[in-house]
Amino acid sequence: MVVNDMPEMAKWYVVHTYSGYENKVKANLEKIVENRDMHEYILDIVVPMEEQIEIKDGKKKATLRKVFPGYVLVKMIMTDESWYVVRNTRGVTGFVGPGSKPVPLTDEEIRIMGVEEFAPVLDYEVDDNVRVIDGPLENFIGIVEEINFEKKKVRVAVSMFGRETPVELELTQIQKL
């Protein structure tokens, strides 16, 4: 195995933990990876969190809550050693999958969970003529003015009522002509 190819071989796996132990498992795993120098096998450990707004005494308070209580996501290359290390970490009850065989998450599952950002592959660029293929402006024609990958938005000058009108659309709402 060539070490440079390793990150491409890594997949996301779901690890089941005792309830409330998610952050401890993450910390323990990070310590083990450091101590055993397993950086090339265990690349990332995530406890998915989301911000929740609570209103207490008339004041808004943002708190983080676990999206999947009792689960930790681990990006790793599955070997006998890496499986053993994760499986025997304190607080881990096992991998999610049939029997003793862990099943990696699909790219689509990872995208839906928002664990990893995927840069969309676009067939258009600034100054290209495009057609709106989705939404209320469907079938309108326009010219791409700006692409914002952070916000996943594109600004298109659409010809409406005889004049150019800039509109902000999702990256997937347009198609190159």
Side-chain angles (χ1 to χ4, degrees), residues 19-32:
S19 187
Y21 274 69
E22 302 87 356
N23 292 330
K24 284 186 188 102
V25 165
K26 178 179 162 93
N28 289 343
L29 258 175
E30 286 170 345
K31 211 175 286 170
I32 292 166

Side-chain angles (χ1 to χ4, degrees), residues 92-108:
V92 170
T93 60
F95 281 93
V96 172
S100 62
K101 188 176 183 336
V103 177
L105 293 171
T106 64
D107 285 350
E108 186 57 27

Side-chain angles (χ1 to χ4, degrees), residues 129 141-145 156-167:
N129 288 320
I141 306 292
I143 298 170
V144 177
E145 290 184 333
V156 179
V158 176
S159 183
M160 245 190 263
F161 312 118
R163 60 190 210 146
E164 297 291 306
T165 305
V167 293

Side-chain angles (χ1 to χ4, degrees), residues 74-141:
V74 181
K75 186 173 190 174
M76 62 189 283
I77 295 168
M78 191 57 71
T79 64
D80 289 345
E81 186 185 6
S82 64
W83 177 87
Y84 181 85
V85 163
V86 174
R87 177 64 189 88
N88 290 294
T89 298
R90 229 172 115 206
V92 170
T93 60
F95 281 93
V96 172
S100 62
K101 188 176 183 336
V103 177
L105 293 171
T106 64
D107 285 350
E108 186 57 27
E109 289 169 326
I110 294 163
R111 199 180 338 273
I112 290 168
M113 293 172 146
V115 175
E116 223 174 44
E117 288 296 314
F118 288 91
V121 179
L122 305 178
D123 65 345
Y124 56 83
E125 50 191 55
V126 174
D127 293 332
D128 278 352
N129 288 320
V130 292
R131 173 188 309 275
V132 180
I133 57 170
D134 184 35
L137 301 175
E138 191 172 345
N139 292 324
F140 275 80
I141 306 292

Side-chain angles (χ1 to χ4, degrees), residues 122 124 146-155 168-173:
L122 305 178
Y124 56 83
E146 179 188 354
I147 300 171
N148 186 331
F149 287 101
E150 285 84 48
K151 290 184 180 176
K152 297 182 176 67
K153 301 277 187 190
V154 60
R155 192 172 68 226
E168 192 174 74
L169 301 165
E170 300 287 326
L171 294 173
T172 56
Q173 284 183 283

